Amino acid sequence: MKKETHPKYHKESKIICACGHKFEVGSVQLETHVETCSNCHPFYTGKQKLMDTAGRVDRYQRLMEKKKPTTSKKHK
């Protein structure tokens, strides 16, 4: 087996988001730039906007409303 075929692993690699948030993780790269992180991603911040194409989102939400469990009476 050849020696030194794997890249060097850095335990403290810097991740820099476009929003300015910085944090450290383990990686083979010393520094990585990303567009979104958990600090600015709409899913995690609660500011998610859904693009509605031809009413698909509304149709999906209506379908999920129909499938919600309702309180049912027990049959004897």
Side-chain angles (χ1 to χ4, degrees):
M1 191 160 133
K2 293 182 180 180
K3 293 184 179 184
E4 299 182 24
T5 58
H6 296 287
K8 184 179 178 185
Y9 182 78
H10 305 282
K11 290 183 180 181
E12 296 180 1
S13 174
K14 292 181 184 178
I15 305 296
I16 303 169
C17 181
C19 71
H21 185 71
K22 298 176 185 178
F23 54 96
E24 293 183 354
V25 295
S27 178
V28 294
Q29 296 178 343
L30 280 174
E31 188 174 287
T32 304
H33 294 272
V34 295
E35 293 180 13
T36 58
C37 65
S38 61
N39 192 38
C40 64
H41 193 279
F43 180 78
Y44 297 110
T45 60
K47 298 177 183 177
Q48 185 171 9
K49 295 180 183 177
L50 299 172
M51 296 297 292
D52 192 6
T53 306
R56 293 179 187 207
V57 174
D58 291 332
R59 188 173 21 201
Y60 176 76
Q61 289 175 343
R62 278 183 274 151
L63 179 67
M64 290 297 111
E65 286 294 322
K66 288 181 184 178
K67 291 189 176 192
K68 279 188 178 177
T70 59
T71 56
S72 62
K73 297 178 181 178
K74 292 184 180 179
H75 295 282
K76 291 183 180 181

